[in-house]
Amino acid sequence: MKFFVDTADVAAIKELNDLGMVDGVTTNPSLILKAGRDIIEVTKEICDMVSGPVSAEVVATEAKAMIAEGMKLAKIAPNIAIKVPLTWDGLTACKAFASEGHMVNVTLCFSPAQAILAAKAGASFISPFIGRLDDIHLEGVNLIEDIRIIYDNYDFKTQILAASIRTVNHIVDCAKIGADVITAPPAVIKSMAQHVLTDKGLEIFLKDWAKTGQKIL
Ligand code: E4P
């Protein structure tokens, strides 16, 4: 399972990247706003640091303008995955980018039917949003499961990039289902290391060690 980091915060990406935890990065307009940086500048900085795919999202809503924006974003670096929304225009742009050999991440996917269309349009990645489905009281991980079954039935090459991840359980569920990639905020990835029994166990070991009066160094 590949780990993408869902942020445009360069320092946070660097911390995880130095540990070898980053296979790619996803950004979106809201994350660019949060970072408070120029999209071209920050995306270039991320691409220089991370060798895997870095998703940069278009903001136009009509195919022609999306294609123009995507072509500009693709010039930032060879590892750019052009991110387009799952609309009919987005699928049209996806097909155009894929035909020219660009990686495309089709985002804002909320149904298996949408995921089928993205695969047919040549998407490299489909981004189903788990957390936002949970927010409206649907079971977000079920969408990942459905897409996995469909893509395997037809040997579609589009990778399932589970997005809108809010919890460690989301990541574990995606791993069990066989999502190709998860993209999660740095804090969620870091919290995967936490366990109350690890903290408790360490506390006991350190107390007992102090009683031995020994030192290792
Ligand atoms: C995916 O590429 C999106 O950037 C992201 O996962 C959206 O997550 P959110 O629903 O937490 O905003």
Side-chain angles (χ1 to χ4, degrees), residues 6-7 26-28 30-31 55 57 83 105 107-108 127-132 135 161-166 183-185:
D6 200 23
T7 187
T26 51
T27 66
N28 64 39
S30 306
L31 293 172
S55 291
E57 188 162 343
K83 206 174 181 188
N105 176 0
T107 191
L108 290 169
S127 289
F129 277 37
I130 299 178
R132 294 193 196 186
D135 289 345
L161 198 178
S164 188
I165 287 197
R166 309 268 170 80
T183 188

Side-chain angles (χ1 to χ4, degrees), residues 126-202:
I126 181 70
S127 289
F129 277 37
I130 299 178
R132 294 193 196 186
L133 283 168
D134 288 357
D135 289 345
I136 58 162
H137 311 296
L138 294 171
E139 205 52 60
V141 290
N142 288 351
L143 175 58
I144 308 296
E145 203 160 17
D146 288 346
I147 299 172
R148 182 73 284 157
I149 292 167
I150 292 166
Y151 279 12
D152 287 350
N153 280 348
Y154 298 100
D155 201 22
F156 284 132
K157 300 296 178 220
T158 302
Q159 295 187 50
I160 302 173
L161 198 178
S164 188
I165 287 197
R166 309 268 170 80
T167 66
V168 170
N169 283 351
H170 280 159
I171 297 177
V172 174
D173 286 342
C174 286
K176 287 197 216 160
I177 292 164
D180 301 287
V181 192
I182 58 96
T183 188
V188 177
I189 293 177
K190 286 181 82 176
S191 67
M192 291 173 79
Q194 287 167 8
H195 199 289
V196 65
L197 292 180
T198 304
D199 296 342
K200 232 180 183 170
L202 186 59

Side-chain angles (χ1 to χ4, degrees), residues 42-117:
V42 74
T43 308
K44 169 101 182 73
E45 218 172 293
I46 296 168
C47 288
D48 286 346
M49 190 195 323
V50 174
S51 53
V54 174
S55 291
E57 188 162 343
V58 301
V59 290
T61 53
E62 284 170 18
K64 204 173 157 204
M66 281 181 183
I67 292 168
E69 287 182 354
M71 289 306 186
K72 179 167 180 187
L73 294 172
K75 284 199 183 96
I76 296 173
N79 54 331
I80 285 287
I82 307 163
K83 206 174 181 188
V84 298
L86 212 156
T87 58
W88 201 254
D89 284 274
L91 292 169
T92 306
C94 173
K95 182 72 188 161
F97 294 137
S99 306
E100 297 222 356
H102 294 293
M103 285 188 286
V104 189
N105 176 0
V106 179
T107 191
L108 290 169
C109 170
F110 293 96
S111 78
Q114 289 180 314
I116 293 171
L117 290 177

